[in-house]
Amino acid sequence: MVRGKGLLRLVPALTVLAMLGPVAAGLLGALGPALGHLPAAGLSAPPLTPLTAVLSTPGIDRSIRLSVTTGLAATALALGTVTLLLAGWTGSRAFGLLQRALSPLLAVPHAAAAFGLAFLIAPSGWLARIVSPWATGWQVPPDILILHDPWGASLVAGLVTKEVPFLLLMSLAALRQVDAARSRAVALSLGYGPVMGWIIGVFPRLYAQIRMPVYVVLTYAMSVVDMALVLGPTTPPPLSVQIVTWMSAPALEMRMQAAAGALLQLALVLATLALWWLGERVVARLGRRWVTAGRRAPAVEPLRWLGLAAASIVAMTVLAGIAVMMLWSVAYVWRFPAALPGALSGAVWIRQGPVLSSTLAETMWIASASTAMALVLVLGCLEAEQRYRLRLSGRGLWLLYLPLVIPQTAFLPGLQALLIDAGIGAGQIPVILAHLVFVLPYVFLSLGDPYRAWDARLGTIAATLGAGPNRVLWRVRLPMLLGPVLTAAAVGLAVSVGQYLPTLLIGGGRVMTLTTEALALSSGGDRRVIAAFGLMQTLAALLPFALAIGVPAVVWRHRKGLAHG
Amino acid sequence: MDKGLELRDVRIEKDGSALIALDARIGSGEVLTVMGPSGVGKSTLLSFITGTLAPGFSASGRVILDGLDITDLPAHRRRVGILFQDDLLFPHLSVGQNLAFGLRAGGNRDARQAKIESALAEVGLEGFAGRDPATLSGGQKARVSLMRMLLSEPCVLLLDEAFSRLDAVLRDQVREMVFARARARALPILMVTHDAEDARAAGGQVVTLGPTSG
């Protein structure tokens, strides 16, 4: 029927390969070294030696416990905040404001959000400066451990600021498929308060839709490295950081230990996901019992204020974090406890200018390459789905979420070992392909719905006017979907810009992006330089979103019919 | 050569159960009206003829257009024109670009431009080529949509509830205009509608589809 159809038919398979191939290869690649077999380094050990070494590491029990507790706490807090906010405030003006504030914050990279938070809450941070010395009497920073606290509270706080916007946006997308407004109206008419009515009438259906994103959050929170380096406990660190330490150790035997740790991390995440799943069952059962009892529970209603407060704190924290990074990047003298710098200077920007711009260039090249590949694959999948009914993302979209619920620390060590084994040196191309694993699902999730929601009758009309499938695609569908395509590209760029571990491990230290550079600097402790890199990273992730909104508005300024599409 | 549209023993099933069975011939300039309540499969019949049958449906029988069996041709090679109840003008193209999209390939720039201008003039829309479709009235959009379809030089015209969104006064005008333009080109018309007034105005034979169980 159509020329080139063979190629298009291959795209879904190619996409699955690009997305899951590295994950599967990485997990398999970890098996050998984890069992004491690392021929590339000429090493072999009895099969259980690496695991024994892992388990006999001092403090490993605390590392494991930290991964589980910080992961569960961050996920529960983020989900709770989003639930209370939606239950108490959907449709209100406050909600509209928060939604507008939180949406762009989703693009702020994790590392930048972590630096911003650290600059706020550290003993010498902005918050302490603002209340000192008039309220506290502090003339020097107080000697209390806030960052790197042994319980991981700062890490949890950092994770919550990033995961609330994520879960909120996923929920807002899902709510369109749930008849929320009318369900709540019915609940109200039956005598339930707005919050209780929403929790009983809407939440169960919403949760069914956002279950996978919640699992992604839990997996991410349990295995995050970049945020944990900035905010997390250090002695001992969470398991994920411990694995990366082993990976970066000069002694090659440590690679076997790292591989064993990676598999342990995978088992830990899977077990915690199972625990969460059981928790869902328990909550559902309790909920059903509650509904059967018909309790209206008016005492629940005031909790909406908690949701509003938590969401507002999240939004203000990220915004204030960006603001304090701006101040630090131009601060010449900023002694404690002054609330503002005593003198300003552009010296850091000038001194770091060459490094900043070359790192920015490398960051954007990697991000653009992986995003362009992702866009081609995703558009190919969606076209193949429409033309040949080859549906990649069927029920539950589980395939797309799979690379996101396997912890990065579980498969990247094995992938790195495989690349070394295969004699493929570290470098940009492997890094781009590693980024693609994470960019692809997000681009797909972003573009899939608007692509499918496009009125197919326009395609029929175009075809009856004599346009073949390719002409329909290039002349009608893609131009009309310019906004969603650019937004998906911005999502892809932001995901790539924010990647730390794939860049670090697969790049073998030879590929420097704004994220890896900022984290490398973070141990040095010059706040001005860290702030400059953090800001640059934020800008690199945010600007594409501004373009995705601005470009269609300019291109289609004389086309009212596309103003909201 | 036999001019017109012939539906030879067309049967459409949805998920294995029979939906439509129709055997019909529409000669040049004739109208066949297919009536029936919504959900009976009228639009499905049209999507079979345009070659855009949705998944879940299966069909047998042949579609012969001007003596040529088009059943297995891809949608864009069938030369079947269709109008839906919405105008479905491409929102990213100007009125003139919409018409140019429909106009069959060939001819130099000036000749194509002249054809577009005269098509606009034919329906009283001189000077509208540069306009954004979103700024047109309902009746104007319907006229542009009709001319876009006619410029692609179809061999048959399908009307899928094409007038049901228009208010009563406008409906008569647009209906009259569509039939007049189609007759001027001696096109066979297959119209599906649930409006008896449409059928009366068309004047041709009427087939009523009912639930196949009855």
Side-chain angles (χ1 to χ4, degrees):
Chain A
M1 283 208 307
V2 186
R3 220 179 297 261
K5 67 179 177 180
L7 205 61
L8 190 58
R9 278 177 196 275
L10 284 179
V11 172
L14 203 61
T15 306
V16 173
L17 188 70
M19 212 161 54
L20 299 183
V23 179
L27 290 179
L28 289 176
L31 273 180
L35 293 173
H37 186 66
L38 191 60
L43 290 172
S44 81
L48 285 178
T49 312
L51 186 63
T52 318
V54 167
L55 293 178
S56 58
T57 306
I60 192 71
D61 53 332
R62 277 194 62 84
S63 294
I64 292 172
R65 212 175 319 136
L66 271 172
S67 284
V68 177
T69 51
T70 52
L72 285 175
T75 311
L77 284 173
L79 182 62
T81 301
V82 169
T83 303
L84 285 180
L85 180 69
L86 285 169
W89 302 92
T90 313
S92 70
R93 261 189 54 173
F95 184 80
L97 275 174
L98 266 176
Q99 189 190 336
R100 270 196 295 282
L102 286 171
S103 306
L105 300 186
L106 183 59
V108 176
H110 278 86
F115 288 128
L117 182 65
F119 286 6
L120 285 177
I121 63 171
S124 61
W126 210 15
L127 292 182
R129 286 165 192 262
I130 288 171
V131 295
S132 299
W134 56 274
T136 60
W138 293 334
Q139 292 294 343
V140 289
D143 187 19
I144 43 179
L145 192 64
I146 296 178
L147 301 180
H148 310 297
D149 67 283
W151 308 278
S154 298
L155 174 58
V156 169
L159 283 165
V160 169
T161 60
K162 275 301 297 167
E163 305 314 334
V164 163
F166 175 67
L167 285 180
L168 183 65
L169 284 191
M170 295 313 254
S171 301
L172 288 173
L175 276 174
R176 283 181 222 129
Q177 295 161 39
V178 177
D179 197 356
R182 287 197 297 176
S183 300
R184 170 190 276 190
V186 168
L188 285 175
S189 75
L190 294 175
Y192 288 89
V195 173
M196 204 60 209
W198 193 91
I199 289 175
I200 286 179
V202 181
F203 182 74
R205 275 176 293 161
L206 173 69
Y207 188 78
Q209 300 264 342
I210 61 163
R211 174 182 279 131
M212 290 311 287
V214 169
Y215 292 174
V216 170
V217 168
L218 182 55
T219 304
Y220 189 88
M222 283 186 71
S223 56
V224 66
V225 173
D226 49 1
M227 272 199 148
L229 285 173
V230 180
L231 300 168
T234 46
T235 44
L239 182 60
S240 51
V241 175
Q242 187 64 66
I243 293 171
V244 176
T245 312
W246 289 329
M247 297 229 29
S248 330
L252 281 173
E253 300 93 83
M254 297 302 262
R255 298 294 159 90
M256 298 195 279
Q257 204 163 318
L263 294 181
L264 178 65
Q265 169 88 270
L266 179 66
L268 199 60
V269 166
L270 292 180
T272 312
L273 282 172
L275 190 69
W276 186 275
W277 184 84
L278 276 177
E280 287 173 5
R281 295 288 161 291
V282 172
V283 170
R285 174 166 295 195
L286 289 176
R288 271 195 295 274
R289 201 182 288 177
W290 186 281
V291 171
T292 314
R295 257 174 290 174
R296 266 52 174 175
V300 174
E301 298 304 317
L303 283 179
R304 64 202 289 256
W305 293 102
L306 195 62
L308 185 68
S312 308
I313 290 172
V314 164
M316 283 188 295
T317 302
V318 183
L319 291 174
I322 293 173
V324 72
M325 282 198 288
M326 284 178 176
L327 282 179
W328 267 115
S329 76
V330 294
Y332 181 62
V333 190
W334 195 357
R335 289 200 185 86
F336 194 89
L340 290 171
L344 300 182
S345 143
V348 167
W349 288 101
I350 293 166
R351 194 155 22 90
Q352 298 291 332
V355 187
L356 270 171
S357 49
S358 68
T359 316
L360 175 68
E362 183 151 26
T363 305
M364 289 322 280
W365 154 241
I366 289 170
S368 312
S370 55
T371 301
M373 288 163 80
L375 268 182
V376 169
L377 288 174
V378 167
L379 284 170
C381 280
L382 290 166
E383 266 303 285
E385 172 181 314
Q386 186 239 323
R387 290 188 200 178
Y388 315 119
R389 321 282 171 213
L390 290 171
R391 215 174 148 80
L392 170 67
S393 49
R395 209 172 138 264
L397 296 165
W398 63 272
L399 211 55
L400 289 178
Y401 281 106
L402 201 57
L404 305 178
V405 293
I406 306 281
Q408 294 192 350
T409 31
F411 77 89
L412 287 172
L415 191 59
Q416 191 204 39
L418 274 187
L419 288 175
I420 294 171
D421 256 359
I424 301 170
Q428 275 186 347
I429 306 289
V431 169
I432 289 168
L433 291 175
H435 280 206
L436 187 58
V437 171
F438 307 100
V439 171
L440 249 176
Y442 283 110
V443 170
F444 210 125
L445 291 170
S446 166
L447 193 52
D449 284 347
Y451 203 87
R452 294 183 188 118
W454 184 73
D455 190 343
R457 292 178 309 168
L458 286 161
T460 301
I461 285 280
T464 61
L465 294 174
N470 290 331
R471 185 150 188 256
V472 176
L473 175 66
W474 291 105
R475 293 288 310 281
V476 185
R477 194 167 197 165
L478 284 183
M480 283 185 67
L481 292 174
L482 178 66
V485 169
L486 290 181
T487 303
V491 168
L493 292 172
V495 168
S496 172
V497 166
Q499 292 301 321
Y500 172 63
L501 209 52
T503 321
L504 181 77
L505 294 186
I506 306 301
R510 295 221 304 266
V511 177
M512 291 307 253
T513 62
L514 290 168
T515 304
T516 57
E517 191 78 338
L519 280 150
L521 288 165
S522 70
S523 49
D526 184 344
R527 286 193 173 173
R528 292 167 183 79
V529 182
I530 297 172
F533 273 89
L535 277 178
M536 210 60 182
Q537 200 200 11
T538 307
L539 222 65
L542 274 178
L543 260 187
F545 278 95
L547 289 176
I549 295 167
V551 168
V554 172
V555 171
W556 299 135
R557 65 191 176 285
H558 300 307
R559 297 287 176 259
K560 275 189 187 163
L562 289 170
H564 301 289
Chain B
M1 187 171 65
D2 263 356
K3 281 282 192 185
L5 177 73
E6 193 183 343
L7 301 176
R8 216 175 267 168
D9 198 18
V10 169
R11 284 167 198 284
I12 301 179
E13 296 185 338
K14 176 161 199 204
D15 301 323
S17 59
L19 195 64
I20 295 174
L22 187 65
D23 200 69
R25 236 203 85 76
I26 312 164
S28 292
E30 292 177 8
V31 184
L32 171 68
T33 304
V34 175
M35 294 200 61
S38 56
V40 79
K42 304 188 298 286
S43 296
T44 309
L45 172 67
L46 297 191
S47 61
F48 174 60
I49 300 171
T50 55
T52 54
L53 205 58
F57 293 95
S58 60
S60 63
R62 312 306 297 175
V63 183
I64 316 290
L65 184 56
D66 291 352
L68 183 73
D69 186 341
I70 61 166
T71 320
D72 300 320
L73 287 180
H76 63 286
R77 302 247 168 77
R78 296 188 172 207
R79 306 198 68 167
V80 171
I82 187 167
L83 293 178
F84 291 99
Q85 61 178 358
D86 298 300
D87 55 84
L88 295 175
L89 294 175
F90 302 130
H92 62 299
L93 302 178
S94 68
V95 166
Q97 288 167 335
N98 262 283
L99 294 176
F101 192 99
L103 184 60
R104 290 191 74 80
N108 62 27
R109 212 183 147 81
D110 290 345
R112 291 177 70 81
Q113 203 53 46
K115 277 188 186 167
I116 289 165
E117 288 299 339
S118 80
L120 284 171
E122 189 180 337
V123 289
L125 292 173
E126 294 94 338
F128 273 63
R131 290 278 292 271
D132 176 358
T135 64
L136 268 51
S137 72
Q140 291 170 332
K141 286 181 193 171
R143 282 182 267 169
V144 175
S145 182
L146 169 68
M147 293 320 290
R148 178 179 67 174
M149 190 264 298
L150 292 176
L151 283 174
S152 73
E153 297 170 29
C155 301
V156 61
L157 174 49
L158 309 182
L159 301 174
D160 189 353
E161 304 277 6
F163 316 117
S164 59
R165 278 275 174 91
L166 303 168
D167 62 51
V169 183
L170 206 52
R171 183 183 303 191
D172 290 343
Q173 280 178 18
V174 172
R175 188 164 48 208
E176 201 162 303
M177 180 181 66
V178 169
F179 287 144
R181 300 282 161 265
R183 263 196 296 274
R185 290 161 174 81
L187 288 176
I189 298 178
L190 174 57
M191 172 168 71
V192 307
T193 181
H194 63 271
D195 182 357
E197 187 53 40
D198 281 346
R200 245 192 311 281
Q205 38 172 334
V206 177
V207 177
T208 303
L209 296 178
T212 39
S213 56

